[in-house]
Each structure stands twice: as C-alpha cells, then as structure tokens.
Amino acid sequence: MTINSELLEPLVSVIIPTYNRPQYLEQAISSAFKQTYQNIEIIVSDNFSPEDPQNLVASFGDSRIKFWRHTENVGMLTNQMNAFKMAQGKYVASLHDDDIWNQDFLAKLIPPLEANSNLILAFCDQYIIDAQGQINVAATEGNSRSYKRDRITSGIHEDFQKIALVDKSIPTAAACVIRNGLIDWDSIPAEIGGMWDLYLSYLCYISGYAVYYYPEKLTYYREHEQTDTMLSGRRNVQAKIRKAESEIFCYKVFMKDVRLQEYYSHFKKLWLEANTTLGIGLLLDNKTKAARSYFWQALNEQKFNLRTLTALTLSFTPQIITNKLLSVY
C-alpha cells in the first residue's frame, strides 16, 4: 500500500510579496517549487507592479500557487501582511521576491516544529548573494558574525529575547518558519513599517513559546541596489526617513515593555540614534525646523553625542553645505 507523503506532511504556506522584480521573482518561486518538502501552497502578493507578474506566475502551471494583485500600491507592510492573512498552512514562511531557498530549507526546519508543539518558529543562517546570484563569502561570514548566528547553539531556546531583539539573530523575513495561528497579523501596527520583521520577533517572544535554531545556511539573501537596506542609506532620503521613523516606534515599544527592562539602556541607545538619523533625513529633505526638534530631543536624553551635535550645528549652515557634509551620515 502506497501512502501519499503529503498526507503525512502538514501544509506550509510560502509567502512571496513582490513589487516589480520579475527576473528575481521567477527565481524565488522556482526555489519554492524545488523544495524536497512538497506539501506547500505559494502565495504571491503583488503590490501593483508597473509590470503585472500574473503571466509569469501562471507560467508555472501549478495549482499550488495563488496570485493576488492589489489595485493600487498599498505599501510594503500591507502587501506583506495581506499575504500572511491568506495563508492556510499549519506553518508560514516568508520568501522575499529577490531571495532564494536551499531545496532542503523546509525539510530541515519543519521536523523540529512538528516534534515540539511549544515551538513558535524555527530559523537558520543564510548566505549573502549579489545581484547575479553569486555567493559573497566575506559578506556571508560578516553577516553571520554581525547577527551572532555563529555563536548560537543548535536546538531549542526558551529565553530568546536577547537572540531575537538585541542580537537580531532571527531572520523572520527571510530564513524562518513560523507556526501559523499564534500571531495576530492585525496586531502588527502600520507605524512599524520596515521593522515588521523585528516586531514579529517581539510578538513571538511575548507569546511564551520557544524557538529552534538550525545552524546551517539554508537561504540566500540577495543584496542589490533596490533592497530596503541599500535605499535607506544615502541613496534615498525618503527611505532613510521611513526607516528611522519605524525604528523610533519599534524601540519605544521595547523600552516600555517591563519584560525587557534588562535591555532598556540598549534600546534607548538605538532609539536616540534613530532620532538623530530621522533629524538628518529631515534636514536633507529641507525640513530644518522639524529636524532640529529631533536633534534637541536626542541631546536632552543623552547630554552629549558628537553625531547629533554635529548635525544640529549643520542645521544652521546654508543648505548646500549641509547636504554635502551630511552625505557621510
């Protein structure tokens, strides 16, 4: 008697939010279909891309793929959450349209979750690849060290607030499988913006469940000119402002949570840095008065900070000089 393996495997919802990156989207979808774990549904949520990817999605000819296209650009967060809300699987995993999964990604992360109902998520390490899909060895090693995944022990972690919120080791947007039904997707506020992945880690922490770490690189995170990380630097002032606003909101929530008081000073430091960053973004956007209010707030809370003091001083110089000097910030 032959038993369909899919009957023994719980359904996993693969979430792929997308916007105007068809060449990468095709690779992302392909990596989902190539999983050795096959009981999946793939939900592609398009944020009203100028180039409608519906034909690309349909070209896969697989009933496991579902396509949703917004009738207007609703923003990155709303598009992401829309896909999560559509998920029917016992587990959900986010795969961004420019990233790729190793074929054993789900096969290696689902079993720990199935074996222990007290786990809310399982996560792994990741490779860093360039626009052409080539692994950047130095960047990969640096990424693992930066997020301290090279130090995390394999297995279950019950008290994981430091791992999740201080070290930011859990890549919930790129290399993580989450038990569906434990997170209220509507509880992620709009103000969180691009920090939704860190805030999701926070919601997982306060849920009371544990997490599991699988110490292998099972995903490929692509770094290129259009990633949010790249855009939020000097290249795009509005992206810089949005990112700083999201950070201010996020760290303020963490500072107020009595369960995180051990790390209050850490979150306050990041909150102050974000205030200065927002001020710099506003200054570059010719909103000098608003910028100064953030500089003053940061200085009042920490008394002296060279970066903040320098930015405040520059706010009193001619705009053309300010823009040139602030380009290093």
Side-chain angles (χ1 to χ4, degrees):
M1 178 178 178
T2 301
I3 299 177
N4 188 338
S5 63
E6 290 188 359
L7 295 177
L8 303 178
E9 298 176 339
L11 179 66
V12 177
S13 298
V14 179
I15 305 302
I16 308 181
T18 187
Y19 179 74
N20 209 37
R21 292 197 281 232
Q23 73 279 17
Y24 292 150
L25 174 62
E26 184 175 10
Q27 295 176 38
I29 295 174
S30 294
S31 78
F33 276 132
K34 290 177 182 176
Q35 292 297 296
T36 56
Y37 186 103
Q38 283 288 293
N39 192 18
I40 62 174
E41 65 170 359
I42 299 175
I43 300 171
V44 178
S45 184
D46 177 57
N47 194 19
F48 196 55
S49 297
E51 183 178 344
D52 189 343
Q54 184 170 7
N55 289 336
L56 186 156
V57 173
S59 70
F60 283 90
D62 195 307
S63 61
R64 292 175 297 170
I65 194 167
K66 301 174 182 178
F67 178 71
W68 175 275
R69 177 172 166 83
H70 292 281
T71 56
E72 62 180 354
N73 190 312
V74 296
M76 177 272 296
L77 178 62
T78 298
N79 188 41
Q80 179 85 41
M81 293 305 116
N82 172 70
F84 274 129
K85 293 175 188 177
M86 292 175 63
Q88 298 297 308
K90 181 177 180 180
Y91 302 104
V92 293
S94 173
L95 171 60
H96 280 180
D97 63 353
D98 53 350
D99 295 337
I100 302 171
W101 283 348
N102 179 286
Q103 64 179 5
D104 293 328
F105 171 70
L106 292 176
K108 290 184 175 180
L109 293 189
I110 296 299
L113 292 166
E114 280 291 276
N116 189 337
S117 61
N118 192 47
L119 296 176
I120 191 170
L121 65 83
F123 69 104
C124 62
D125 203 357
Q126 57 190 358
Y127 290 102
I128 303 299
I129 59 175
D130 62 18
Q132 289 71 46
Q134 298 299 310
I135 295 175
N136 185 325
V137 176
T140 295
E141 293 177 352
N143 183 269
S144 295
R145 288 195 303 270
S146 177
Y147 293 104
K148 300 184 180 179
R149 287 191 287 269
D150 59 334
R151 304 181 188 178
I152 304 175
T153 57
S154 175
I156 297 172
H157 295 264
E158 295 182 352
D159 297 320
F160 63 95
Q161 63 268 42
K162 183 177 184 296
I163 290 175
L165 306 178
V166 177
D167 299 334
K168 302 178 182 177
S169 304
I170 303 177
T172 51
C176 169
V177 178
I178 301 173
R179 190 181 300 275
N180 201 9
L182 299 180
I183 298 295
D184 176 7
W185 303 112
D186 288 320
S187 68
I188 298 181
E191 294 88 345
I192 210 65
M195 297 290 286
W196 72 266
D197 51 347
L198 181 62
Y199 196 82
L200 178 54
S201 292
Y202 169 68
L203 293 179
C204 289
Y205 160 63
I206 65 176
S207 72
Y209 287 76
V211 300
Y212 188 96
Y213 179 57
Y214 197 97
E216 283 189 25
K217 296 177 178 64
L218 300 175
T219 67
Y220 301 81
Y221 177 83
R222 193 188 304 268
E223 288 189 340
H224 56 92
E225 292 296 312
Q226 295 303 311
T227 60
D228 291 338
T229 302
M230 292 292 188
L231 289 175
S232 61
R234 296 189 294 274
R235 295 177 176 85
N236 187 310
V237 171
Q238 296 307 316
K240 187 184 192 78
I241 290 173
R242 289 194 300 271
K243 183 173 185 291
E245 289 175 335
S246 297
E247 289 175 336
I248 289 171
F249 181 89
C250 188
Y251 295 132
K252 197 169 185 178
V253 171
F254 294 174
M255 287 161 61
K256 289 181 177 179
D257 193 326
V258 295
R259 291 164 292 195
L260 298 173
Q261 286 305 293
E262 178 182 356
Y263 304 105
Y264 177 87
S265 60
H266 171 77
F267 295 130
K268 185 174 182 179
K269 178 177 180 290
L270 295 176
W271 177 74
L272 290 168
E273 289 176 356
N275 272 272
T276 298
T277 299
L278 178 55
I280 291 171
L282 292 170
L283 198 56
L284 290 170
D285 199 33
N286 299 317
K287 297 177 181 176
T288 304
K289 184 177 180 180
R292 286 175 185 157
S293 68
Y294 286 98
F295 297 147
W296 284 121
Q297 178 168 260
L299 287 172
N300 287 336
E301 292 286 342
Q302 58 189 338
K303 302 307 178 185
F304 177 81
N305 179 277
L306 183 58
R307 178 173 178 254
T308 307
L309 191 59
T310 300
L312 176 62
T313 301
L314 288 174
S315 73
F316 292 96
T317 64
Q319 190 69 40
I320 187 171
I321 298 175
T322 299
N323 288 352
K324 180 176 290 187
L325 293 175
L326 283 178
S327 64
V328 300
Y329 287 92

